[in-house]
Amino acid sequence: QAPNLDSFMVWVHFNSPQKYTSSSGDLGPAQEYCARVDIEVDSPGPSQVIRSIPLQARSGTARVHAPKGLQTVRLCAPAGDCRQQMLPLKNAGNIDVQLKLKVCRQTGEDGFTVTPDELSLRVGEEKRHYEVTLKGEVTPSAPAHAAVLTTNVPPILSNKQFVAWGGVTLGRAVQQKLVLRNNSPKATQQLRLLIRGQDQDCFQLQSLFSPEERLTRHGELSIHPREDVTIHLLFAPTRVACMLAKLEIKQSGVRASQPGVKFTIPLSGYGGTSNIILEEQRKQADGYVATLTDVAAGHVSKVCLSVRNTGSRAAFIKAVAFSDLTTRTPMEPTVLSLAPSQFILKERTQEVRRLSHSDNTPLATICLFCGDEVSRQQYRR
């Protein structure tokens, strides 16, 4: 009950439903949510709505991109002078964003500033007056030979921005490769690798130099100038769930007063897969054979196909009939129809699909395209 005041404030909170979002791919539109607040008089008799206040909320993903050539900003200035670099930012997400910009200062980097310190970006927007300016100055007390300023980011390149496994059967491990390149023409880079995150125990690094190929969550390596090194990553899920972690790549051997730059590569995968089989059909080396009986002109013949999912994940199945499989020519639906042509089959369940044929022409080849439903939903988002 509210205190006896002329007015009081009521807070309405919105909690966005948590959804898995891939780090790449089309996000689609933001989710719209609608509701309303009804205001009534609290009385013993029948109540009546005095006023209704509509509520609206949007839930989406914020992605702010900078040009690929400006992922590393390098500034050089003589003593007592300054340099600046424009950095265009683009909102590649599906909701508007409000940004606060600041310089993460380290020892000896007090000469950097960024303006403006706040900006707004609408979806898909990249306006030139939203450019960011970085300025660096050399302090007058600095010696002349130290007048060159850089962001001191090691020139390490990767062939992947993220590593995604998809579904892996429980009890199995699947390996993927990640290639790191030292793009420096002279300097050797000493790097430390570490897997961290909520599901870090499901991801492993394969030892780079050990002959027994032992697994670990951390390691160190040296990359010579212009050299490529392959990193072997293993994913071994322990349960039927989506799992996330990250691979941290950091310089090693740097002084404590100058902490090394850290790169992060997201890791994702999920445990359990679907497994589709056809039952009660004659199996051949290249597929199955379903027999249609009483095939005659003007007569509709039917046969039922029993599809079972023996896996631990729901499967999405799409059935397509081809009159010529080699050229992928689809069969006319007036001649042969499938009902339904696509469906979701839950784990350890069975479905019966009906096939109807209404002509005396040669029969078709039916292909069942199937995959994990959880993977399809992730790609749709």
Side-chain angles (χ1 to χ4, degrees):
Q1 184 174 358
N4 186 17
L5 299 174
D6 292 337
S7 64
F8 61 91
M9 183 177 295
V10 176
W11 287 94
V12 179
H13 296 274
F14 170 72
N15 293 320
S16 175
Q18 291 188 354
K19 294 184 178 181
Y20 178 86
T21 303
S22 176
S23 59
S24 65
D26 186 15
L27 293 174
Q31 298 291 322
E32 301 280 351
Y33 299 90
C34 298
R36 73 169 186 265
V37 174
D38 290 338
I39 302 175
E40 301 177 355
V41 176
D42 187 8
S43 62
S47 61
Q48 187 175 2
V49 176
I50 300 175
R51 185 179 179 185
S52 293
I53 302 175
L55 304 176
Q56 290 185 333
R58 301 182 73 213
S59 175
T61 301
R63 287 181 181 173
V64 179
H65 289 178
K68 187 175 181 180
L70 292 176
Q71 296 295 317
T72 300
V73 178
R74 299 185 181 276
L75 302 174
C76 298
D81 200 355
C82 69
R83 292 291 183 268
Q84 64 184 29
Q85 171 68 56
M86 299 297 182
L87 179 63
L89 298 178
K90 180 178 180 180
N91 183 0
N94 56 9
I95 56 173
D96 299 343
V97 294
Q98 304 285 331
L99 299 180
K100 289 188 176 181
L101 309 174
K102 67 176 183 177
V103 176
C104 297
R105 303 188 184 279
Q106 299 177 1
T107 303
E109 295 182 356
D110 293 337
F112 288 92
T113 60
V114 55
T115 54
D117 56 358
E118 292 188 9
L119 59 88
S120 301
L121 284 176
R122 301 181 65 84
V123 175
E125 192 172 36
E126 182 185 0
K127 290 187 177 180
R128 308 307 288 179
H129 63 268
Y130 282 149
E131 291 175 343
V132 181
T133 303
L134 295 175
K135 296 181 179 179
E137 293 185 11
V138 178
T139 58
S141 60
H145 65 270
V148 177
L149 278 183
T150 69
T151 54
N152 200 28
V153 177
I156 300 298
L157 305 180
S158 171
N159 68 329
K160 296 180 180 179
Q161 293 183 344
F162 64 93
V163 183
W165 273 262
V168 175
T169 305
L170 297 184
R172 293 190 58 193
V174 175
Q175 182 192 89
Q176 288 212 55
K177 297 179 181 180
L178 176 72
V179 179
L180 299 180
R181 170 177 294 178
N182 178 7
N183 207 37
S184 172
K186 297 180 180 180
T188 297
Q189 298 294 332
Q190 305 286 337
L191 301 179
R192 182 167 62 249
L193 309 180
L194 175 64
I195 294 178
R196 301 180 63 181
Q198 61 187 38
D199 302 303
Q200 61 187 25
D201 294 338
C202 299
F203 299 88
Q204 299 285 332
L205 281 167
Q206 191 166 342
S207 178
L208 302 176
F209 310 107
S210 175
E212 64 270 16
E213 296 185 351
R214 61 185 179 87
L215 303 179
T216 180
R217 286 196 299 110
H218 58 84
E220 295 191 2
L221 73 155
S222 299
I223 309 182
H224 298 293
R226 303 297 189 187
E227 182 185 20
D228 290 353
V229 173
T230 301
I231 309 298
H232 298 269
L233 296 162
L234 286 181
F235 173 54
T238 57
R239 61 193 183 280
V240 180
C242 294
M243 300 171 192
L244 303 172
K246 59 184 177 181
L247 173 64
E248 292 185 353
I249 304 171
K250 191 174 183 180
Q251 285 179 291
S252 60
V254 297
R255 296 192 302 271
S257 60
Q258 293 180 340
V261 178
K262 180 174 64 178
F263 303 95
T264 300
I265 297 179
L267 310 175
S268 66
Y270 60 88
T273 58
S274 59
N275 185 52
I276 302 302
I277 61 172
L278 281 176
E279 294 182 329
E280 302 174 2
Q281 302 298 333
R282 183 158 49 93
K283 188 174 183 180
Q284 292 185 339
D286 58 347
Y288 296 83
V289 176
T291 303
L292 281 168
T293 59
D294 302 327
V295 177
H299 177 71
V300 177
S301 301
K302 298 180 181 180
V303 66
C304 292
L305 305 178
S306 178
V307 184
R308 182 179 294 273
N309 182 4
T310 63
S312 56
R313 285 280 188 181
F316 177 80
I317 301 173
K318 183 174 182 179
V320 182
F322 297 102
S323 59
D324 188 344
L325 185 58
T326 57
T327 60
R328 293 296 181 97
T329 304
M331 174 68 78
E332 290 293 336
T334 56
V335 177
L336 189 143
S337 61
L338 302 165
S341 61
Q342 61 184 36
F343 55 96
I344 296 174
L345 184 58
K346 292 185 177 180
E347 59 273 18
R348 300 181 180 88
T349 58
Q350 177 189 24
E351 288 284 345
V352 177
R353 307 291 99 181
R354 186 178 71 253
L355 183 151
S356 302
H357 183 261
S358 58
D359 202 348
N360 59 354
T361 57
L363 300 186
T365 301
I366 300 173
C367 296
L368 296 178
F369 299 93
C370 55
D372 296 337
E373 170 64 9
V374 61
S375 181
R376 186 178 76 99
Q377 291 297 334
Q378 291 175 358
Y379 278 109
R380 289 183 65 184
R381 298 190 188 104

